[in-house]
Amino acid sequence: MASYLYRFGKTAFRRRRLVLALWLAILFVAGAGAAALSGPTSNSFSIPGTEAQRALDLLKTKMPEAAADGATARVVFKAPGHQKVAKAPVEKTVGELKRLDKVATVADPFHDQLVSKDGTIAFSQVTYKVQSGELTNADRDALKHAATAAKDAGMTVEFGGDAMQEAAGVSPTEAIGVGVAGLVLALTFGSLVAAGLPLLNALLGVGIALAAITAASGFTKIGSSTPILALMLGLAVAIDYALFIVSRHRKELLEGREPEEAAGRALGTAGSAVVFAGLTVIIALAGLSIAGIPTLTEMGFAASFAVVVGVLVALTLAPALLGFAGRKVLGKAGDKTRKRALNPTPEMPRWISAITRRPLAALRAATALLGSAGRKLLGKAGDKSPKRTPNPAPLSQRWISAITRRPLAALLSATALLGLIALPALNLRLGISGDEIKSTHTTERRAYDLLAEGFGPGFNGPLLLVVEGHNAEDTAQGFAKRATTFDDVAAVTPPTPAKTSDTAVFTVVPKSGPSARATTDLVKHLRHTAPAGTMVTGSTAVGIDISAKLGGALPPYLALVVGLAFVLLMLVFRSLLVPLKAALGFLLTMAATFGVAVAVFQWGWLKDLFGVPVAGPIQSLTPIFLVGVVFGLAMDYQVFLVTPMREEYVHGAAPKRAIEAGFQHGARVVVAAALIMIAVFAGFISSHDPMIKLLGFAMAVGVFFDAFVVRMTIVPAALALLGKRAWSLPGRLDRLLPDVDVEGAKLSTELDGQTAKEPAHA
């Protein structure tokens, strides 16, 4: 692979105009497709095989007029002061609501007994013929305008329900992450040209991916959060992958190679690592389909598509843009170093020429020589002199030296720290939260609070019971009467039979809110005690079923992605212990990440700092999606940090020296990559979509723990303890596995050998 990518990199460098033109053409075609073919996004969940979904499917057939899976809106009226709700303006509003386009049914508060006991609050339930994703802003504006008569009468009118949910979008504050990424790149490279190349790669790649996903929405249902997740992940990995290639290209240039040759070698080495790192992310995301939830499958495939585009852009456009940049990618300091190395004066002695060719190596040698001489001259006092040296070693060198000196202490300390942070995860509670977790500045949250004040929190999430079979109405009436005696039941409506008389429905209103544990227990009790043919559905039951299904899917999903990634990492590092250590480190990362997420979003610690309006259960989709994303990114850092260590070991360095040298090669770039990821993900914490906010926060925290605690502390400490055993592979397995040469050792040996022979033929 390394040899193929080497040749491909040189070709892309030479034919840079053609490569750039092709990618711009793809962007134009994708954009045109998005403009012509895009369809509405959806906020609904489909969970085939669950009781709640079977009940909804049955109602579509038996009672289509109920529009059970249609969007719903709650229009809540509150009289001024302690007055009672006026009947005339409310009924006028109901009449206006019934005339709205796409509306199926509208409940009359006075006819359907939807007025609070003190008469100060009333509400009307509006059911639409279509799902919430098919409602436009004009539909929502019309809903609000219909309440003009009630507002003119002095009443407070608020609107809730999933009909009010707008499609998630990108806010200006999320662009801050891109700005921070640019700053990190500029500080890392010391060159605006070099910093701009990864950003250009990422913007083009994400533009193509989002345009293609938008075009696909014209043929299949796309969740409103899906494009944002694809943007979040695609942007982060595209910047990082281009960063690794540009960094290796600069290294090759500083070693005296021509730009075209440097681009080829950069793609043959860093490009190989990008391919395998990208594969781990793609496997993790595509594996989300194992949960059997279409929404999650769609999110996984869309995000993995964005990663595929990011990898392809990095492997093709990055070397092409490097061709346009030339030596400007080094910046002024790098350019001067290059000139001094290639143009020594004629009278320059060989030893000076050698120093200018390899200044860092000469500086280390001189420092070691002076240090040795100083210790001999100063005796014991000289041993203390390094502590007072005005030019200390780089932070990465001091960090890795401290770890390799005391690997067991570093390993135990870092593990204990993550374990302590992970403790809140023991109380993890999953659920599908609604309007109750939104800001009090929104009409949805105010409507929720008014309903809870007038009728109890359970009215915000009623349960719909569907009875099927002979004598369905009698069965429903009998069970409805029993349900009134259950704990946590506030009200039960009379059953309504279908026209075919073999189906009936009735509503059970809990005393507790939709996301409360007591409501979950009530759903379980209803299902356990219900007569045959009775099913519980509604938005609350759907959320409970999603949580249960995702909880059951998580173990096999983990086994799948960890198993496949283990095989890939075994190919990359030709070791059993390195992939095993990578997987165990990831489990620590996830435990600590869930611990922080529970503390902030479920317990409410520091929630105001992160803009979390109300603490509540963790969104059900978060754990499995977070596992997929963070696992892929964790394996990225594993590949990019440990590959240089293996390269040093393969070239003959002792295990400890290989760890230290490889760490210093990879640490700076991995730190930059992690900071970029954190910045991009943290930019989404400001999103108004609760799941996007939570995912942005959790992924930023997960990347921080994995990059700085696991990969840069636990991994080198474990490698130092294992010594040569870390890089060993059983003989039979070693012969069976193909040698993919990800670190490009064979390529470097081959090319360096060719370079050494060239003067002999001159």
Side-chain angles (χ1 to χ4, degrees), residues 442-700:
T442 63
T443 185
E444 298 98 306
R445 172 61 188 280
R446 293 195 294 267
Y448 180 95
D449 290 343
L450 284 176
L451 269 183
E453 176 188 342
F455 303 91
F459 272 78
N460 286 285
L463 305 172
L464 186 64
L465 277 77
V466 183
V467 181
E468 182 187 23
H470 298 295
N471 301 320
E473 185 176 2
D474 293 340
T475 303
Q477 287 177 347
F479 188 56
K481 186 176 181 179
R482 285 177 55 202
T484 58
T485 65
F486 293 165
D487 292 338
D488 201 48
V489 170
V492 179
T493 64
T496 301
K499 293 178 181 178
T500 57
S501 74
D502 60 350
T503 305
V505 297
F506 65 96
T507 300
V508 174
V509 180
K511 293 179 181 177
S512 51
S515 59
R517 191 182 297 275
T519 302
T520 302
D521 294 339
L522 174 61
V523 171
K524 293 178 180 178
H525 185 65
L526 287 170
R527 287 174 170 171
H528 180 69
T529 57
T534 303
M535 295 174 284
V536 182
T537 188
S539 59
T540 302
V542 167
I544 292 170
D545 286 351
I546 287 177
S547 300
K549 189 159 187 176
L550 287 172
L554 190 56
Y557 172 68
L558 268 175
L560 173 68
V561 297
V562 172
L564 290 177
F566 184 91
V567 173
L568 281 176
L569 292 178
M570 190 167 58
L571 288 172
V572 171
F573 299 116
R574 305 199 69 75
S575 164
L576 289 176
L577 294 177
V578 170
L580 178 62
K581 165 186 59 64
L584 294 176
F586 164 72
L587 295 178
L588 280 173
T589 294
M590 291 314 306
T593 301
F594 286 135
V596 174
V598 168
V600 174
F601 285 82
Q602 186 176 311
W603 291 356
W605 294 4
L606 302 177
K607 65 182 180 66
D608 294 336
L609 178 64
F610 296 103
V612 180
V614 178
I618 301 298
Q619 296 286 329
S620 296
L621 288 175
T622 303
I624 194 166
F625 192 85
L626 188 63
V627 164
V629 173
V630 176
F631 182 81
L633 299 180
M635 296 307 103
D636 280 4
Y637 298 132
Q638 178 76 12
V639 169
F640 290 122
L641 188 63
V642 180
T643 295
M645 298 179 187
R646 172 172 161 75
E647 186 175 351
E648 294 289 336
Y649 181 76
V650 168
H651 288 163
K656 181 180 177 182
R657 176 58 189 158
I659 295 169
E660 293 178 347
F663 185 91
Q664 291 178 61
H665 285 316
R668 185 182 182 189
V669 178
V670 169
V671 167
L675 290 176
I676 289 169
M677 287 274 190
I678 293 169
V680 172
F681 293 151
F684 289 85
I685 296 176
S686 62
S687 173
H688 68 274
D689 186 302
M691 192 174 75
I692 297 295
K693 178 188 288 289
L694 175 55
L695 279 174
F697 173 84
M699 287 195 284

Side-chain angles (χ1 to χ4, degrees), residues 185-197:
L185 288 168
L187 293 174
T188 301
F189 290 135
S191 164
L192 291 178
V193 174
L197 293 183

Side-chain angles (χ1 to χ4, degrees), residues 70 95 130 156 329 395 518 538 611 719:
V130 298
T156 299
V329 75
L395 177 60
L719 289 174

Side-chain angles (χ1 to χ4, degrees), residues 319-525:
L321 292 179
L322 288 171
F324 286 110
R327 297 190 184 280
K328 293 179 182 178
V329 75
L330 289 172
K332 293 182 179 180
D335 208 24
K336 292 177 181 178
T337 302
R338 168 69 180 156
K339 289 178 180 178
R340 288 196 301 268
L342 294 180
N343 300 300
T345 56
E347 66 276 8
M348 183 180 291
R350 290 184 178 180
W351 65 274
I352 294 181
S353 178
I355 291 175
T356 57
R357 279 200 308 273
R358 299 186 179 275
L360 293 178
L363 180 61
R364 285 196 295 267
T367 303
L369 182 62
L370 289 174
S372 177
R375 283 191 294 273
K376 289 181 180 178
L377 288 172
L378 297 176
K380 293 183 179 179
D383 293 334
K384 301 177 182 178
S385 61
K387 299 178 182 178
R388 299 191 298 269
T389 177
N391 296 306
L395 177 60
S396 61
Q397 181 179 338
R398 284 178 283 151
W399 179 261
I400 192 61
S401 296
I403 290 175
T404 54
R405 271 200 313 271
R406 300 176 185 271
L408 184 59
L411 178 64
L412 294 178
S413 299
T415 303
L417 173 65
L418 292 181
L420 181 64
I421 295 173
L423 287 178
L426 296 174
N427 291 322
L428 174 67
R429 186 162 64 89
L430 301 179
I432 301 293
S433 300
D435 294 341
E436 71 272 20
I437 66 170
K438 294 184 178 180
S439 168
T440 52
H441 298 296
T442 63
T443 185
E444 298 98 306
R445 172 61 188 280
R446 293 195 294 267
Y448 180 95
D449 290 343
L450 284 176
L451 269 183
E453 176 188 342
F455 303 91
F459 272 78
N460 286 285
L463 305 172
L464 186 64
L465 277 77
V466 183
V467 181
E468 182 187 23
H470 298 295
N471 301 320
E473 185 176 2
D474 293 340
T475 303
Q477 287 177 347
F479 188 56
K481 186 176 181 179
R482 285 177 55 202
T484 58
T485 65
F486 293 165
D487 292 338
D488 201 48
V489 170
V492 179
T493 64
T496 301
K499 293 178 181 178
T500 57
S501 74
D502 60 350
T503 305
V505 297
F506 65 96
T507 300
V508 174
V509 180
K511 293 179 181 177
S512 51
S515 59
R517 191 182 297 275
T519 302
T520 302
D521 294 339
L522 174 61
V523 171
K524 293 178 180 178
H525 185 65

Side-chain angles (χ1 to χ4, degrees), residues 76-80 150-151 154-158 450:
V76 187
F77 307 89
K78 180 176 175 58
K151 291 179 180 178
M155 284 186 280
T156 299
V157 184
E158 303 293 351
L450 284 176

